[in-house]
Amino acid sequence: MGRVRPAAQRPGHRAAQRPGHRAAQRPGHRAAQRPARQFRPSLLLGALTLVLYGLGAIGIGKPLDGLSIFALAITALGLIIARRQPGNSVAWLLLGLGPVLAFYEDAANYAVLDYHFHHGRLPLGPAAAVVASELWSTPFLMLPLIILLFPDGKLSSRWRLILRAYLGVCALLTAIWLAGGAWEVSTAPIVVDGKGQLVSDPGPPGVPVIAFAILLIAVAVFWLLFVLRQVLSWRQATGERRAQLKWLMAGGSAAVVGLAFTVLLSSDGGLLGALDNVMLAFGLFSLPVCIVFAILKYRLYDIDRLISRTLSYTLVTGLLVGVYTGLVLLTTQVLRLTSPVGVAAATLAVAALFNPVRRRVQRMVDRRFNRARYDSDRTVAGFASRLKDEVDLDSVRADLTGAVQHALEPAHITLWLSPDAGRAASPADAS
């Protein structure tokens, strides 16, 4: 029996199949792999953040603290956006914050380890002290860029020029700060505090205070311009873009409120200390989380309901806390009741007031911030009141379809009526 040689068939087989196979599959294959290739650098940044914090935890012996958790969470949120939109500039800024914060914290911990436990004998101790003392402002300079580039990173030529000017000012400020720290460690004995920062840091020599103040004022003006851009964009936007900007404004407002409460409370222990930590976490995480929801368009149009619920429950909580405090003072200080009796009476009164106060406050907030729901509720309530006195079936049908159309705005309405049990249901199209 003869045997067919593979060598006689393979050249023709390759010539007949492989070029066509490549021509037919490679373009689509490349298009399918392009997002994965664009996502790889973001994974590298995330891995860099983990490595830097791993070095701090293993090499320096510093456990994760609140700043570390915030940096890791920011990195995770950046990865979520980059996975869906690899070319989004906001994702890269969030991913860049992680290594910056990790590097700053490792430098601060290394400076403490060197000058508090090894008396300055470790290598690169002065450099770590300079980084810990002077680069604390870098994250604050990066965060406004997220507001500027939200939601897709696209800027006009004028705003790109403003962005370049802002980056130039930030680079100049960073250079001045680093020069000041380097001058300090080269001319005086190095003493660092518990945070790894230089105790004596007078600033760089030869830099006029007026020029430095002008740069700081310029940074503040740039921040206001970035916020103004989003405000003007919100006034002109409709649909999805407007909802995205609502998420941004809600996150920014929550961040300001949370950080303001943190500054006002500023307690280290007890109930106030726990509340201080909660408000700090709320202020730090609210803006990044809202940005992720807005960019990925997840439950995008629930923002009105979220705002109204947050405001209503905040107002209700404040009112009830005030009522509770007033009742406790009234029963224990004025009426001279025992403390347990006064607390119990105040608790029962607040529990009885909760639902009525919540409904009234919710209606007030919906009237201002969630107008669609307020108008829908009014439409349904008006239809229910008219239904009590209506006896004509055609009028009820017309009124019902009108109420549904006004409240829900559907594309099509079909109403099925059954006049009696013995007759088959017939469609009555009321679109």
Side-chain angles (χ1 to χ4, degrees), residues 144-346:
L145 294 176
I146 298 176
I147 298 177
L148 173 66
L149 298 173
F150 180 87
D152 51 13
K154 296 179 180 179
L155 297 174
S156 64
S157 58
R158 179 180 302 176
W159 281 105
R160 284 197 295 269
L161 182 61
I162 294 176
L163 174 61
R164 295 189 188 100
Y166 175 74
L167 293 177
V169 171
C170 292
L172 185 58
L173 277 175
T174 304
I176 292 175
W177 276 319
L178 289 176
W183 178 80
E184 175 64 22
V185 298
S186 63
T187 57
I190 301 175
V191 180
V192 300
D193 57 14
K195 297 180 180 180
Q197 298 179 351
L198 296 171
V199 174
S200 177
D201 190 10
V207 177
V209 178
I210 296 178
F212 192 71
I214 290 175
L215 290 176
L216 293 178
I217 294 173
V219 169
V221 171
F222 279 116
W223 290 359
L224 292 177
L225 287 176
F226 298 164
V227 174
L228 180 62
R229 175 181 181 268
Q230 297 296 350
V231 172
L232 295 177
S233 179
W234 179 79
R235 295 185 62 181
Q236 300 173 358
T238 58
E240 286 187 348
R241 184 61 178 266
R242 191 177 183 90
Q244 286 178 315
L245 293 173
K246 283 184 179 180
W247 275 102
L248 177 65
M249 288 189 291
S253 302
V256 171
V257 171
L259 296 178
F261 270 99
T262 300
V263 174
L264 292 176
L265 293 174
S266 62
S267 178
D268 295 330
L271 181 60
L272 288 179
L275 183 60
D276 187 17
N277 293 330
V278 170
M279 295 305 296
L280 176 61
F282 177 74
L284 290 177
F285 288 103
S286 55
L287 180 58
V289 170
C290 287
I291 286 174
V292 172
F293 273 78
I295 292 178
L296 299 184
K297 301 178 183 179
Y298 177 74
R299 301 185 72 88
L300 189 61
Y301 290 99
D302 287 349
I303 182 61
D304 290 329
R305 184 176 183 180
L306 178 64
I307 293 175
S308 64
R309 289 292 186 273
T310 303
L311 288 176
S312 62
Y313 279 103
T314 301
L315 292 174
V316 168
T317 301
L319 289 173
L320 294 182
V321 167
V323 171
Y324 178 81
T325 305
L327 289 177
V328 169
L329 293 176
L330 177 65
T331 54
T332 58
Q333 301 297 326
V334 178
L335 301 180
R336 299 297 179 183
L337 298 177
T338 59
S339 181
V341 174
V343 171

Side-chain angles (χ1 to χ4, degrees), residues 44-96:
L44 293 177
L45 284 176
L48 177 61
T49 304
L50 292 177
V51 168
L52 288 174
Y53 275 117
L55 290 175
I58 298 174
I60 304 177
K62 176 70 174 180
L64 296 179
D65 55 8
L67 183 61
S68 306
I69 296 174
F70 173 71
L72 293 174
I74 285 289
T75 303
L77 295 175
L79 287 172
I80 292 174
I81 299 177
R83 182 66 182 86
R84 298 285 299 274
Q85 302 179 19
N88 196 308
S89 303
V90 176
W92 291 102
L93 281 172
L94 292 175
L95 288 169

